[in-house]
Amino acid sequence: MKHPLLAQYPLALPGYQYVNTLHESDNAVILLTHHSNGLPVVIKRFKFDASHLSHELVDEFILESKALGLLAHPGLVRPLDAGIASGALYMTMEYVQGVTLRRHLATSGTPPLAQALQWFEEITLALGVIHGIGLLHQDLKTSNIIVRNDQSLALLDFGLETRLLVASGFLREDEIYCTPYYISPERIIGDSPDERTDLYALGVILYELLVGHKPYESNTLAELLKKHALAPIPRLPDNLSTYQPLLNGLLAKFPENRLQSADGVVRLLQDVSQRVNSGSSRS
């Protein structure tokens, strides 16, 4: 593969032909390639020096990647392989055509309620699959969700690399690896993440899907973090107030007051939806 970006971040993987760069972040470059089998494949090439990583940590990353790949869940972008080449850690993934949910919401606006709830349930179910094999997402946000051409959703980036970023020195142990608009209060004060941390981010996404903007916004990082930690949970508009208990259960400031699992979120969503439908049929 020959490209200016690959001159800076070389990657020699036989059988892959570079097509273009899909994205570049602080810690990785995302490349679209064609494999020799004729299929498009996405390669995530991490920028940090993999030589500082222990064999045990790299092996764990590869095993977790393969475990996710075996799930073959429609709500997840499936990893295909992982390893080290040209001194860099990489992961190959299936190529999913579509746009990010963030871009879709920015260009198309707030979706109809039925579509918003369907998407929310799809995201929750996919998150539950990740949690079911003992993993956390840790960076759940609309830009890590792909809207396929058939309008179904698929989650990207499963938080596998967080430990590697710390071990390589790319990220400090006390740094928060997530997006401030989706950060949970406990992460702000340095507590370790768990499933409920992901569920808080899920609550932010629910609000975005229903209302069209994030529950907490600010021009400064300090003020944004303060709102996540201390500001009241926003009230939904009157026509959406039936879903307030669901939002409250996701955006609770303390993890112990939050909904405790993705399964619990789906059950509450279904209960609320059933009450809404029952009320509609009686009117």
Side-chain angles (χ1 to χ4, degrees), residues 30-42:
I30 314 296
L31 312 170
L32 176 61
T33 70
H34 270 131
H35 190 262
S36 55
N37 62 14
L39 296 176
V41 173
V42 172

Side-chain angles (χ1 to χ4, degrees), residues 78-269:
R78 189 163 63 96
L80 301 174
D81 195 10
I84 292 181
S86 307
L89 193 71
Y90 72 89
M91 177 196 292
T92 62
M93 298 171 282
E94 65 173 325
Y95 174 54
V96 176
Q97 287 188 306
V99 299
T100 66
L101 181 57
R102 177 184 179 183
R103 177 173 293 182
H104 183 91
L105 294 176
T107 56
S108 301
T110 308
L113 179 59
Q115 179 72 84
L117 296 176
Q118 179 183 328
W119 277 347
F120 175 74
E121 185 169 9
E122 286 183 31
I123 297 166
T124 306
L125 290 170
L127 188 63
V129 170
I130 297 173
H131 290 171
I133 61 171
L135 299 178
L136 302 176
H137 192 289
Q138 299 194 63
D139 198 18
L140 189 63
K141 55 187 177 183
T142 53
S143 58
N144 274 341
I145 301 169
I146 295 292
V147 183
R148 294 188 181 94
N149 294 337
D150 66 0
Q151 298 299 291
S152 65
L153 300 185
L155 270 60
L156 286 166
D157 284 349
F158 314 112
L160 299 178
E161 67 262 26
T162 304
R163 293 189 304 277
L164 304 177
L165 292 171
V166 173
S168 66
F170 201 91
L171 191 72
R172 294 198 317 272
E173 187 74 52
D174 60 347
E175 283 186 290
I176 300 170
Y177 181 54
C178 63
T179 303
Y181 283 111
Y182 300 84
I183 189 172
S184 63
E186 66 271 19
R187 291 294 283 142
I188 295 173
I189 61 174
D191 288 352
S192 298
D194 61 21
E195 293 180 10
R196 298 166 298 181
T197 307
D198 282 344
L199 296 183
Y200 184 89
L202 184 66
V204 175
I205 292 173
L206 173 64
Y207 192 87
E208 285 185 88
L209 288 171
L210 294 177
V211 180
H213 59 83
K214 296 177 178 65
Y216 304 116
E217 296 180 318
S218 176
N219 293 326
T220 69
L221 176 60
E223 182 65 23
L224 179 60
L225 297 181
K226 182 178 178 181
K227 286 182 176 181
H228 278 293
L230 301 173
I233 297 172
R235 305 299 299 177
L236 292 170
D238 290 343
N239 64 314
L240 297 171
S241 61
T242 309
Y243 300 95
Q244 190 69 46
L246 179 60
L247 185 70
N248 292 348
L250 290 166
L251 293 184
K253 301 300 180 183
F254 297 101
E256 58 269 25
N257 297 332
R258 214 170 287 155
L259 288 162
Q260 299 295 293
S261 70
D263 287 345
V265 175
V266 172
R267 286 194 300 270
L268 181 54
L269 172 63

